[in-house]
Amino acid sequence: MKALLIRGGRVIDPAGGRDEPRDVLLRDGKIAAIENPGKIKAPDAEVFNAKGLVVAPGLIDIHVHLREPGQGYKETIATGTAAAAAGGFTTVCAMPNTVPVNDAPEITRWMQAPERGASIRVLPIAAATRGSMGEALTDYAALKEAGAIAVTDDGKPILGDAIMLETLRAAAPLGLPVIQHAEDTRLTGGGSMNAGALAFRLGLRGMPVEAESSLVERDIALLRQVRGAHLHVAHLSTRKALDAVRAARKQGLHVTCEVTPHHFALTEERIGLYDTNAKMNPPLRAESDRAAMIEGILDGTVDAIATDHAPHATHEKEQEFERAPNGITGLEIALGLAMQVLHVRHKMPLARVLALLSSRPAEALGLKGLGGLAVGSAANVVVFDPAEKWVFRAAESRSKSKNTPFDGWELQGRVRLTVSEGRIAYRR
Amino acid sequence: MTQQEDREEMALTRATVRKPPQKLSSPSFFNLPIHPGSAISAKDFSAAEVRRILESADALEKENPMRRANRLAKRRVALLFYESSTRTRTSFELAAKALGADTTLVSSLSSSIEKGESLKDTGITLKALGAECIILRSPYSGAPYLLARATGLPVLNAGDGMAEHPSQALLDLRTILQFLGIRSSAVTEKTLRGVTVTICGDILHSRVARSNALLLPQLGAKVMLCGPRELLPEYAAGMGPGIVVERDFEAALRQSKIVMMLRIQAERLAGLQVDLDDYRSRYQASAERIVKHAPKALIMHPGPIIRGLEITAEVADGLQSGIAQQVHNGVPIRMALLERALRGDKARKGGGR
């Protein structure tokens, strides 16, 4: 592996509090040196000219669906991580709703095997219950040993109080976060979009905000009963649920949460005339909820921006709205959307935007040694042009699927180089 | 080469591969155009458009049947029905035949739909067989847009899920105007100013209610939605201008010149429990109630009627009932919609007569 000298960039490392012009030398898969411009002498290294560009920790997406094993027609670990690398990510956490469900160490290991052809690091999140059926716990210790970094039944929320309590109790001593897709499915049956006047007009059954907030509130109540447990709320989308997280955190409870780019960038209006590329779960909400996501991001309540990258084949999305599956792709545009909406529109400092995509998600899920640019740590680096405006074209996506509501969107901030553990995973 | 080195080699190769060549840009499926001859949502009809349709319905109704049968002679119209229907299907079929078109009925129980064929593929198949216009009834809201995008053909919405039933709203409007003695040519956005139309019953599941609530205010009417909370959420009033919610049926009756009753759609209740005795006592259009609170109003119902539940036989068959007239108006309105859907194309192809 050839050494790489990233020269002349603006190095932003939120975890290390660094924001200054520096050269960065990557050698043997590690960050070998970060020095004043021109100081590093490495004649053997390939040089990447980063003048005018930002050099930051490789981005971390703690919520993606890579569809393998079992649904390779939607995405494979190879194509999903290629898309991730193009989006500046060097680490993705893969959800367990695969076929079969990732509820056993063999599957967890299979996902991380070199044969999968991942171009960046894949950290599996294992199922909290067998088959994600919400009945019997999986073997958390064995799953952790195999590489799982958290447990969840994502998409099939753990509704039973007793089983959720059991989950928190089993995960706590192992230091595993319990991730909940907060949706009381008893309140969302048959629903395909946010409940309200728009759903009413479109003749679509609605999913009320209370379906999310009530389960977050229930989970927080259970969390109080388990010392050392950690609840992570996936893809939070409502003001009510965000308020519950904020209040719980003030009381010292270990609750973290993530928000997707689409929930801070779009509202339910994007559905237009039944565009299934605007159908996902949780659904796009009303403007007041979208605004609340921005507030939560700006005030620090939100720990991470996560894409909930959920690829689906064209024929699955070209169906009647109520029949089409939930989910959209998101890996290649997360940075561009975060830059466009948070940095440009809401004036959030660049370092804080980047923290939400690197150091803070790493901290939220306890991913040691990731999300920063410390010398000696793994050479996970993204280099991007913070000023470049570009138009996202779904047809050119590296993902196997093209289901996105952002086709044709103008974004700001474009990835130029992604280095995963010293290897160039993406360059343009 | 070790596996590790192999991987690195691959990673580097992948990295040096140039950006894939630009693909021919085709609009994404959801940006494909909807044929302008389609009739999918009542909110798409301006007052002027409504007037043209009503005038066309009047003219077609009066026209000599032999002459009329030349209008769409041998044009191919497909009726694609994923749900059962009596009135709508029959009147669309009669309307198409009255204009001379060839019709074919495809229903979910006697076609490849049963084998799992998608709506998109069914539409493409019908088009390849020569269909020039498709009349669709679907249990899924928004399905007509999917069909219109997939085929590029004019699509007439004969009812989609809980969303819309625009031809019903137009024939209801024709019935209302006949009752009020207003000529089609007089229709403007002010025509129904001062007229309150109550729509009572299972609003939540009713595509007829939605299409009427979106259409009538375009002509100046006030639409008063009435029903219990579980069948009429408060935010229903937010779906468009000119719509209010009134829980007290008798209060609504006292303000209304027009009263539309709806049936409770048992097939769409999805586990919802409705106390039918309580429902009758509060919302039934009974003779006593109508005589007392709305003795001069026109009583309408899109059918099918559940006699004895939302409406009594005395009211349904009584002098104030416009129910049979509504059904009668189905054919002229649907003739007008079919002609509107197909005549433009003919002109564009240079085959207009």
Side-chain angles (χ1 to χ4, degrees), chain B residues 131-143:
Chain B
E132 297 169 82
C133 170
I134 303 176
I135 298 162
L136 174 69
R137 166 162 290 190
S138 167
Y140 298 106
S141 299

Side-chain angles (χ1 to χ4, degrees), chain B residues 3 71 80 102 108 119 132 183 212 235 284 311 315 330:
Chain B
Q3 205 169 44
R71 286 187 173 267
L80 179 54
D102 284 345
S108 47
L119 178 59
E132 297 169 82
R183 281 174 304 135
N212 270 299
Y235 49 64
Q284 187 184 62
I311 192 167
V315 175

Side-chain angles (χ1 to χ4, degrees), chain A residues 59 61 87 89 261 264 305 307 330-339 357:
Chain A
L59 307 184
D61 189 344
F89 291 96
F264 69 66
I305 293 169
T307 65
L331 284 163
E332 285 155 297
I333 50 173
L335 177 64
L337 283 168
M339 288 287 294
L357 286 158

Side-chain angles (χ1 to χ4, degrees), chain A residues 312-319 400-402, chain B residues 29 120:
Chain A
H312 290 294
T314 302
H315 71 270
E316 295 172 308
K317 280 294 196 178
E318 287 180 357
Q319 289 199 83
K400 216 169 206 183
S401 294
K402 317 295 174 197
Chain B
F29 183 77
K120 179 179 175 172

Side-chain angles (χ1 to χ4, degrees), chain B residues 200-219:
Chain B
C200 177
D202 185 358
I203 310 289
L204 178 62
H205 300 106
S206 175
R207 52 200 178 204
V208 175
R210 282 178 182 75
S211 283
N212 270 299
L214 293 170
L215 180 69
L216 298 175
Q218 309 243 50
L219 307 188

Side-chain angles (χ1 to χ4, degrees), chain A residues 150-222:
Chain A
V151 293
T152 188
D153 281 349
D154 185 51
K156 289 188 172 175
I158 306 172
L159 292 185
D161 293 355
I163 188 79
M164 186 60 183
L165 203 54
E166 225 184 297
T167 301
L168 291 165
R169 285 196 174 123
L174 294 164
L176 285 173
V178 174
I179 303 176
Q180 177 81 293
H181 163 119
E183 176 194 357
D184 187 338
T185 49
R186 292 163 295 200
L187 300 177
T188 56
S192 55
M193 68 171 286
N194 185 45
L198 185 61
F200 193 86
R201 173 161 73 71
L202 292 173
L204 296 171
R205 292 176 197 275
M207 306 164 84
V209 297
E210 291 77 15
E212 177 173 286
S213 59
S214 66
L215 204 60
V216 170
E217 286 157 11
R218 192 280 313 253
D219 287 345
I220 288 169
L222 295 176

Side-chain angles (χ1 to χ4, degrees), chain A residues 6-13 18-24 34 37 49-57 339 343 348-352 354 373 381-387:
Chain A
I6 301 169
R7 190 183 270 167
R10 172 182 168 194
V11 174
I12 301 180
D13 178 18
R18 188 196 288 273
D19 184 351
E20 55 204 1
R22 285 289 183 273
D23 290 352
V24 179
I34 301 179
N49 180 6
K51 196 165 164 37
L53 307 179
V54 169
V55 181
M339 288 287 294
H343 180 60
M348 192 175 193
L350 202 47
R352 288 193 60 207
L354 291 173
L373 287 178
V381 178
V382 59
V383 181
F384 69 97
D385 183 341

